[in-house]
């Protein structure tokens, strides 16, 4: 049985030993893993930590404000970096899933490296967990936060990496969050991937296409709050389909809704969602987003599919 109290106690000793009297920055996207990491490192080194929130333009509705507010409430020094334009620039013309993941990873670490240099910091703390490492090492997908485990030396970006949760799976990360006294809206938060909505816009990632999936995601989350599922989200397809809006033919967007149960994200089951919930989601997505003419529900388990589409 995982003992969160003991884990926190030992981690504090380890982190203090590794960091010494140097400074650390923590890449915090607001997800469970990166926020628990940030809070843990903050408990270990206090004000020697600066949390960095990179606004890449790929976050869910209201997320940048939520993250900055959460970190402020935890009394953690926070730096907000507006990198929206730079991220959209690197996605230009890219449609291949792995190419997009690698472009995100490279831009992400370069942005962090710049912040680390400005703050004269040699350590970056990040919320990599066991499932991220497994998927990347197996070659299934290059999770954005896995470097050393696949032979990339983080020092090419100018710093060393601290990953206190790298041996844990999600349920234990939540236990650590509770042990640290984090608010429920953080420790029980639905998992959300580092590369954010870029994984849910199939094909080229543009501000306009992200806006479509952001709105669809908001609708899915609102309509599925009570289901208690592991992850609920929307995906924008690269293909188009014929539909009718206001009596006119529209060749418009297709959105897929994904709602899965899982404990550790290594396997997952598509939820048998009540049909009326699906109908309501479809009506809202096609009604509230002008460009969407078709809404699908994904009934595939992992394996053979993965949770995210990219
Ligand atoms: P897949 O799609 O591989 O996802 O079944 C497993 C879990 O990991 C999340 N995920 C990521 N998280 N960086 C992250 O921080 C990534 O690059 C990444 N890719 C997938 C996904 O949302 C699911 O919870």
């Amino acid at each position: 049985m995982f003992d969160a109290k003991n884990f926190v106690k030992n981690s504090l000793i380890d982190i203090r030993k590794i960091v010494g009297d140097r400074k650390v920055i923590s890449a915090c996207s607001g997800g469970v893993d990166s926020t628990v990491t940030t809070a843990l490192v903050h408990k270990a080194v206090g004000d020697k930590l600066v949390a960095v929130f990179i606004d890449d333009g790929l976050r869910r509705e209201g997320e940048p404000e939520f993250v900055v507010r959460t970190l402020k409430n935890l009394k953690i020094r926070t730096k907000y970096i507006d990198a929206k334009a730079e991220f959209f620039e690197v996605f230009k013309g890219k449609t291949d899933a792995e190419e997009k993941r690698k472009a995100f990873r490279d831009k992400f670490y370069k942005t962090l490296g710049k912040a680390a240099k400005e703050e004269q910091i040699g350590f970056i703390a990040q919320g990599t967990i066991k499932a991220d490492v497994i998927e990347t090492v197996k070659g299934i997908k290059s999770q954005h936060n896995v470097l050393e485990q696949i032979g990339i030396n983080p020092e090419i970006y100018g710093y060393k990496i601290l990953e206190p949760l790298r041996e844990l799976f999600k349920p234990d990360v939540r236990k650590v969050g509770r042990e640290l006294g984090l608010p429920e809206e953080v420790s029980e938060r639905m998992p959300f991937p580092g590369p954010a909505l870029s994984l849910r816009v199939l094909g080229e990632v543009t501000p306009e296409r992200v806006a479509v999936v952001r709105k669809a995601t908001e609708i899915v989350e609102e309509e599925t709050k009570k289901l208690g599922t592991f992850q609920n989200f929307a995906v924008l397809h690269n293909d188009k389909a014929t539909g009718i809006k206001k009596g006119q033919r529209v060749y418009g967007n297709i959105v897929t809704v994904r709602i899965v149960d899982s404990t550790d994200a290594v396997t997952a089951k598509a939820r048998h969602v009540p049909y009326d919930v699906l109908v309501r989601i479809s009506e809202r997505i096609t009604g509230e987003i002008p460009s969407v003419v078709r809404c699908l529900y994904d009934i595939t388990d992992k394996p053979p599919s993965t949770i995210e589409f990219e």
Side-chain angles (χ1 to χ4, degrees):
M1 232 328 237
F2 175 72
D3 181 343
K5 203 182 195 97
N6 223 13
F7 176 86
V8 169
K9 196 175 104 203
N10 292 333
S11 298
L12 295 180
I13 297 169
D14 290 348
I15 294 167
R16 287 181 188 132
K17 196 153 61 188
I18 296 168
V19 172
D21 53 13
R22 286 171 287 192
K23 291 204 287 182
V24 188
I25 63 173
S26 177
C28 188
S29 66
V32 183
D33 308 339
S34 67
T35 312
V36 170
T37 300
T38 303
L40 184 64
V41 176
H42 183 248
K43 195 172 168 89
V45 305
D47 267 353
K48 279 186 281 184
L49 173 80
V50 184
V52 173
F53 173 75
I54 300 174
D55 192 347
D56 45 24
L58 306 167
R59 304 289 124 188
R60 283 173 295 185
E61 189 62 38
E63 192 117 45
E65 298 79 6
F66 171 83
V67 182
V68 171
R69 191 173 63 241
T70 302
L71 293 169
K72 201 172 156 209
N73 290 343
L74 294 170
K75 312 230 171 339
I76 297 173
R77 266 204 301 150
T78 303
K79 191 177 170 121
Y80 167 92
I81 300 176
D82 181 356
K84 297 196 275 286
E86 290 175 42
F87 272 84
F88 283 119
E89 192 58 39
V90 300
F91 282 124
K92 261 192 193 150
K94 294 197 175 62
T95 52
D96 174 77
E98 275 294 284
E99 226 183 279
K100 284 161 63 183
R101 281 179 164 273
K102 286 174 183 159
F104 177 90
R105 181 176 70 195
D106 191 55
K107 189 77 218 165
F108 175 78
Y109 284 108
K110 281 186 176 148
T111 310
L112 268 183
K114 209 166 128 210
K117 216 173 184 173
E118 279 163 20
E119 298 274 336
Q120 298 181 317
I121 289 174
F123 270 106
I124 293 207
Q126 61 175 17
T128 315
I129 66 168
K130 190 90 172 181
D132 303 341
V133 179
I134 292 175
E135 305 266 292
T136 306
V137 171
K138 272 201 226 154
I140 293 171
K141 44 182 82 167
S142 310
Q143 302 251 359
H144 80 285
N145 49 1
V146 178
L147 296 175
E148 284 166 307
Q149 296 90 335
I150 52 167
I152 301 177
N153 181 354
E155 294 191 26
I156 59 170
Y157 293 106
Y159 44 75
K160 294 190 171 62
I161 282 188
L162 197 61
E163 290 171 326
L165 308 181
R166 68 200 288 172
E167 296 302 326
L168 306 190
F169 283 104
K170 193 71 90 188
D172 293 340
V173 176
R174 295 197 197 279
K175 287 183 194 152
V176 174
R178 286 176 217 135
E179 178 62 29
L180 290 168
L182 295 184
E184 241 176 55
E185 54 177 358
V186 174
S187 66
E188 311 314 310
R189 209 156 196 235
M190 182 165 65
F192 187 64
L197 299 175
S198 74
L199 303 182
R200 298 172 182 176
V201 170
L202 311 188
E204 192 177 1
V205 179
T206 63
E208 296 73 26
R209 304 192 74 224
V210 169
V212 171
V213 89
R214 179 179 289 123
K215 181 66 194 165
T217 302
E218 193 183 8
I219 294 170
V220 172
E221 289 190 6
E222 278 172 14
E223 298 298 332
T224 55
K225 260 189 205 132
K226 292 196 188 119
L227 295 179
T229 29
F230 184 76
Q231 254 174 309
N232 315 332
F233 57 89
V235 177
L236 174 65
H237 287 248
N238 202 17
D239 289 342
K240 294 213 164 173
T242 302
I244 311 158
K245 290 243 167 144
K246 294 183 185 148
Q248 299 285 314
R249 175 190 187 272
V250 180
Y251 196 50
N253 280 318
I254 308 169
V255 164
T256 282
V257 175
R258 184 116 172 97
I259 303 176
V260 297
D261 286 304
S262 176
T263 48
D264 53 15
V266 176
T267 59
K269 288 244 173 246
R271 171 68 73 93
H272 291 219
V273 177
Y275 204 73
D276 57 332
V277 175
L278 294 176
V279 169
R280 168 121 185 108
I281 292 173
S282 168
E283 283 173 355
R284 283 198 60 195
I285 288 179
T286 52
E288 295 175 32
I289 312 175
S291 69
V292 181
V293 293
R294 209 165 283 254
C295 182
L296 316 177
Y297 184 58
D298 183 353
I299 55 169
T300 332
D301 296 337
K302 173 183 180 177
S305 83
T306 56
I307 296 177
E308 304 290 345
F309 272 47
E310 295 214 321

